Amino acid sequence: MNKLKTFLMQKNDAKILDVGTGNGNFIRIIASLTNEFSEIIGIDLIEGAVEGCKKNFEDDRINFFTMDAMEMEFDDDSFDLVCLSNSLHHLEDVKKIMIEMERVLKPGGALVFCEMMSNNLNKRQKSHLLMHHYAAEVDRHRGRNHGLTFTNKRILEILQTESTLMIKDAWDLTYPRREDNSEEEIEWLFETIDRVKEGIIEPKKKGYFEKEADKVKKHIKKYGFDSATQLIVILK
Ligand SMILES: C[S@@+](CC[C@H](N)C(=O)[O-])C[C@H]1O[C@@H](n2cnc3c(N)ncnc32)[C@H](O)[C@@H]1O
């Protein structure tokens, strides 16, 4: 986190765009690390997510819009930083979004990627990965674009291949190791898995997804849970 903070503090009055903002997680992280921004805009395809963000953020400098990242309604050269967090494995067309991200980036600005990685995880972090991949499989079953997460090597390969900019820096973002999980926390994780299960639409698939959910719960019960390591990549 310290390295991300140092990076963000390099520019005063930065105008920042967060693409595929979801519930605004990455904006929350940015705003917790720096106050030196003039504006942060979060965009997402899903109107419900954007409406939720509008209710949950009170800073006037932070705004949200429903917008497709493949056709952004911003002028060229609009932002100092353009971010994409934990969305790479959701994208239908990485190249198209990369072209747009580069178009709205000011000359001299930076693209910031933050992506959960699928390798080098301990058993507690593996719980996060399994839970995430379970949700991705249910999403695909519902016709949504949600692939498996990538290894750190693959993330770098994708970014290098799809962007015309150069990778200037990359580092692991880890969260402080927590003590053993409380029973309440495990219960909350199980409830989250059960909520994901509610998305199953084909009755004949229910049995399969029940079994997969039980496997994930068993892993969490045995080893506990920690957030998976994220890879931060800066392109300029
Ligand atoms: C897993 S969420 C990531 C949320 C958040 N950035 C985070 O770090 O937690 C991925 C988001 O990307 C959004 N998304 C996928 N394709 C998109 C597109 N073409 N334009 C805008 N948002 C998109 C999805 O709607 C989803 O909310």
Side-chain angles (χ1 to χ4, degrees), residues 70-129:
M70 292 204 266
E71 288 175 22
M72 293 190 215
E73 298 157 34
F74 302 116
D75 291 338
D76 297 357
D77 309 339
S78 291
F79 298 94
D80 299 288
L81 297 178
V82 178
C83 312
L84 186 100
S85 164
N86 283 313
S87 299
L88 203 57
H89 63 285
H90 280 259
L91 301 182
E92 204 183 311
D93 189 336
V94 179
K95 184 85 195 166
K96 228 170 165 179
I97 287 180
M98 193 68 89
I99 290 169
E100 276 295 87
M101 288 175 72
E102 291 183 15
R103 180 183 69 74
V104 300
L105 184 70
K106 287 182 188 172
L111 299 184
V112 180
F113 290 87
C114 172
E115 189 76 8
M116 167 183 174
M117 58 171 86
S118 63
N119 60 320
N120 295 344
L121 303 178
N122 62 35
K123 289 199 162 89
R124 289 164 63 93
Q125 293 178 308
K126 185 97 187 287
S127 292
H128 187 186
L129 185 81

Side-chain angles (χ1 to χ4, degrees), residues 43-231:
I43 62 164
D44 203 283
L45 268 182
I46 300 174
E47 195 175 347
V50 169
E51 292 309 313
C53 287
K54 282 181 182 169
K55 284 194 198 114
N56 291 332
F57 284 79
E58 286 180 351
D59 189 323
D60 287 345
R61 297 170 299 168
I62 304 178
N63 295 295
F64 296 91
F65 299 97
T66 306
M67 200 184 290
D68 186 349
M70 292 204 266
E71 288 175 22
M72 293 190 215
E73 298 157 34
F74 302 116
D75 291 338
D76 297 357
D77 309 339
S78 291
F79 298 94
D80 299 288
L81 297 178
V82 178
C83 312
L84 186 100
S85 164
N86 283 313
S87 299
L88 203 57
H89 63 285
H90 280 259
L91 301 182
E92 204 183 311
D93 189 336
V94 179
K95 184 85 195 166
K96 228 170 165 179
I97 287 180
M98 193 68 89
I99 290 169
E100 276 295 87
M101 288 175 72
E102 291 183 15
R103 180 183 69 74
V104 300
L105 184 70
K106 287 182 188 172
L111 299 184
V112 180
F113 290 87
C114 172
E115 189 76 8
M116 167 183 174
M117 58 171 86
S118 63
N119 60 320
N120 295 344
L121 303 178
N122 62 35
K123 289 199 162 89
R124 289 164 63 93
Q125 293 178 308
K126 185 97 187 287
S127 292
H128 187 186
L129 185 81
L130 291 174
M131 208 169 143
H132 191 97
H133 283 183
Y134 178 72
E137 194 175 1
V138 173
D139 272 350
R140 289 196 298 277
H141 157 81
R142 301 170 79 187
R144 294 185 176 175
N145 213 53
H146 193 170
L148 300 183
T149 51
F150 306 111
T151 62
N152 50 0
K153 188 166 170 254
R154 185 70 193 127
I155 295 167
L156 292 170
E157 275 170 8
I158 294 170
L159 298 180
Q160 197 61 92
T161 309
E162 304 297 347
S163 177
T164 64
L165 304 180
M166 297 296 295
I167 294 177
K168 291 291 177 192
D169 204 353
W171 67 90
D172 289 357
L173 182 77
T174 43
Y175 298 90
R177 163 82 165 86
R178 288 179 298 161
E179 296 307 311
D180 287 344
N181 304 93
S182 65
E183 277 193 25
E184 289 77 30
E185 205 175 344
I186 299 286
E187 194 48 44
W188 180 83
L189 290 164
F190 284 11
E191 280 168 19
T192 305
I193 294 170
D194 290 338
R195 266 201 309 280
V196 170
K197 265 195 307 191
E198 285 168 17
I200 300 163
I201 45 177
E202 266 185 64
K204 60 175 192 270
K205 279 280 193 182
K206 274 210 156 72
Y208 165 77
F209 279 117
E210 288 282 354
K211 276 194 196 138
E212 292 303 301
D214 287 344
K215 282 189 210 163
V216 180
K217 287 182 180 175
K218 213 168 149 191
H219 187 97
I220 294 173
K221 190 97 191 146
K222 187 165 178 188
Y223 297 110
F225 183 98
D226 254 338
S227 295
T229 308
Q230 323 253 321
L231 182 69

